[in-house]
Structures are given as C-alpha cells and as structure tokens.
C-alpha cells in the first residue's frame, strides 16, 4: 500500500493563479482531510469529507474548494491564489468509526509558495 | 470548540537525558482521544503515542510515555533516553468522540525539540 500520496511536492504560484492539489489514498478510508501548516504553527483543518459526495468546511476554508467524487481521491482547489495561502498542505485519511480508535494517516505534504 | 495549547515553543535536551513536553487542552467533553505527533525535517507526520480519555492508566510506547491528568486537562509527553533522532517538532492533538465530528484533529502550535551531544 502506498498510503496517502500527494502531488505535487512543491509549487510556486503567482498571485491570482489557480491550482489543484491532488490527494489519493489506497486504504479504502471513508474520511479524508485537508490541513494547512503555516511556518512555526500547528495544522489547521481546511475541509474534510466523510465519504464520496460529502464534504464540509473546517476551521479555515476561505479561498479553497474541494470535491470527493471517489473514495480514493480528495483534490483541493485554490482559486485566485494569495500570499496568505503560502503554506504546507497535508492530506490525511482515516477509517470511519466514531467510537473506535482509527489512526489518521498523513501524506508527505505539498509546499506551496504564492508570490 | 476545543483548543490545544503548547506553551513551550522550543526545548533542548542532551542525548540520553529525559525531557518532558507540555500540553494543555480545553474541552467540555468527557470522552476523547489525545495524541502526540512527531514531525521531523522530512515533514512527515508520525504518530508517537495516543491516550483514551476514559483510561486512567498513562500510555507508554517504548521510550515515550505520557502523564495524562484529566481533571487538570493536561497531557505531557516524556521522552526518556533521548536520541539524536528524536529531534523534531512535536504536536499535541485532540480528537472528539462526539457523533458527527468525523474524527477531526485539533492541533497545538508545536514544540521544537533539539537534542544535543
């Protein structure tokens, strides 16, 4: 199993450009998440999904969009990139089971710089 | 909403010594999980240890152990016999068990641990 994979690893965008960060998991997990990590800070939740076709906002959703058409994929779309979106983006997934312990597995991250 | 606070931005420990990283959290819930994650320079998030709130016994994983004080809402991580490979950012995280929260994690701001010879 590859686990959670993210592409690209690095990207530089100009202000106003758009891009999609890709995330794929091969563990058949129901839950998927997008976090951002600003320099010297913890991870903050952008969006999450509890299954194909179902997404919801997290703590910092402004400037982003997501979709979940399959169990495996959970792309994050940045429209009109701004310098404030310079960050490291992590995708994660976990199995469903509210009362059970289900570890959240993280991808390797995408470092995005907006100039 | 839950909050997680790590009041030590940086810590340093000598190799083979013991260090304790602090974490406090705020919640009105009685059932939840707490975690410590390690983030080395590679950026990969690595789960170090977890604690179920309903368990009174403190979790241990080899050289890593926690001191979980539920009433005080405190969750510290002790690293014994520190090794150079322990140098990393350490994040404390909270996960609610309330229905509908989708196992989301709330992270603290992290503590950077330096290990010196």
């Amino acid at each position: 199993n590859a686990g959670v994979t993210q592409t690209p690893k690095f990207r530089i965008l100009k202000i106003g450009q758009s891009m999609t960060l890709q995330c794929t998991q091969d563990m058949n997990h129901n839950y998927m998440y997008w976090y951002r990590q600003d320099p010297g800070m913890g991870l903050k939740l952008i969006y999450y999904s509890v299954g194909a076709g179902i997404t919801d906002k997290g703590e910092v959703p402004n400037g982003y969009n997501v979709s979940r058409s399959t169990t495996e994929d959970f792309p994050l779309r940045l429209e009109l990139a701004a310098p404030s979106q310079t960050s490291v983006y992590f995708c994660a997934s976990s199995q469903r089971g509210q009362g059970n312990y289900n570890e959240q597995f993280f991808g390797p991250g995408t470092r995005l710089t907006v100039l | 909403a839950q909050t997680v606070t790590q009041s030590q931005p940086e810590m340093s420990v000598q190799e083979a010594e013991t260090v304790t990283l602090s974490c406090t959290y705020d919640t009105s819930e009685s059932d939840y999980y707490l975690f410590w994650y390690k983030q080395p320079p590679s950026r990969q998030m690595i789960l170090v240890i977890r604690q179920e709130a309903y368990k009174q016994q403190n979790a241990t994983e080899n050289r890593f152990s926690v001191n979980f004080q539920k009433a005080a809402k405190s969750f510290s991580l002790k690293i014994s016999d520190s090794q150079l490979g322990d140098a990393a950012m350490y994040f404390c995280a909270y996960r609610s068990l309330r229905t509908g929260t989708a196992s989301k994690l709330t992270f603290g701001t992290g503590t950077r641990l330096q290990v010196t010879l």
Side-chain angles (χ1 to χ4, degrees), chain B:
Chain B
Q2 294 80 27
T3 59
V4 178
T5 302
Q6 294 180 249
S7 58
Q8 305 156 314
E10 292 187 13
M11 293 282 286
S12 183
V13 63
Q14 283 192 323
E15 200 177 18
E17 296 296 308
T18 296
V19 64
T20 299
L21 308 184
S22 300
C23 173
T24 59
Y25 58 95
D26 187 27
T27 184
S28 59
E29 300 171 346
S30 58
D31 291 328
Y32 47 87
Y33 284 120
L34 294 165
F35 304 90
W36 279 99
Y37 280 87
K38 172 184 178 182
Q39 187 182 44
S42 67
R43 291 201 314 248
Q44 184 68 47
M45 295 291 286
I46 302 166
L47 179 64
V48 175
I49 198 166
R50 75 172 193 266
Q51 174 78 43
E52 293 92 331
Y54 67 87
K55 289 187 177 179
Q56 290 187 333
Q57 187 173 7
N58 289 323
T60 62
E61 286 286 343
N62 301 314
R63 297 182 295 107
F64 298 88
S65 61
V66 298
N67 184 2
F68 173 50
Q69 301 289 329
K70 191 173 184 179
K73 297 178 183 174
S74 170
F75 182 59
S76 61
L77 174 70
K78 186 171 84 170
I79 306 174
S80 304
D81 186 25
S82 296
Q83 300 174 359
L84 293 176
D86 295 333
M89 281 289 285
Y90 286 82
F91 293 99
C92 179
Y94 173 100
R95 176 192 149 189
S96 171
L97 289 178
R98 190 163 46 87
T99 301
T101 57
S103 303
K104 293 176 288 184
L105 294 173
T106 300
F107 287 88
T109 53
T111 296
R112 183 173 300 281
L113 179 65
Q114 250 189 338
V115 181
T116 58
L117 294 170

Side-chain angles (χ1 to χ4, degrees), chain A residues 8-56:
Chain A
K9 286 188 169 50
F10 304 93
R11 184 73 186 268
I12 298 175
L13 281 182
K14 293 182 179 178
I15 295 172
Q17 286 185 320
S18 301
M19 78 164 293
T20 299
L21 280 65
Q22 302 292 343
C23 174
T24 300
Q25 53 92 8
D26 62 359
M27 297 172 282
N28 202 33
H29 285 168
N30 304 100
Y31 294 167
M32 294 187 75
Y33 315 84
W34 275 106
Y35 296 91
R36 61 176 285 173
Q37 183 182 22
D38 297 333
M41 301 295 286
L43 280 68
K44 292 188 177 181
L45 185 65
I46 305 171
Y47 270 95
Y48 67 99
S49 169
V50 299
I54 307 170
T55 62
D56 207 348

Side-chain angles (χ1 to χ4, degrees), chain A residues 1-5 23-33 49-52 68-74 92-97 102-103 105:
Chain A
N1 283 357
V4 180
T5 57
C23 174
T24 300
Q25 53 92 8
D26 62 359
M27 297 172 282
N28 202 33
H29 285 168
N30 304 100
Y31 294 167
M32 294 187 75
Y33 315 84
S49 169
V50 299
R68 183 104 181 263
S69 57
T70 67
T71 299
E72 296 78 18
D73 301 307
F74 189 41
S93 73
S94 71
Q95 189 51 278
R96 183 173 57 196
N102 292 300
E103 182 178 347
F105 293 85

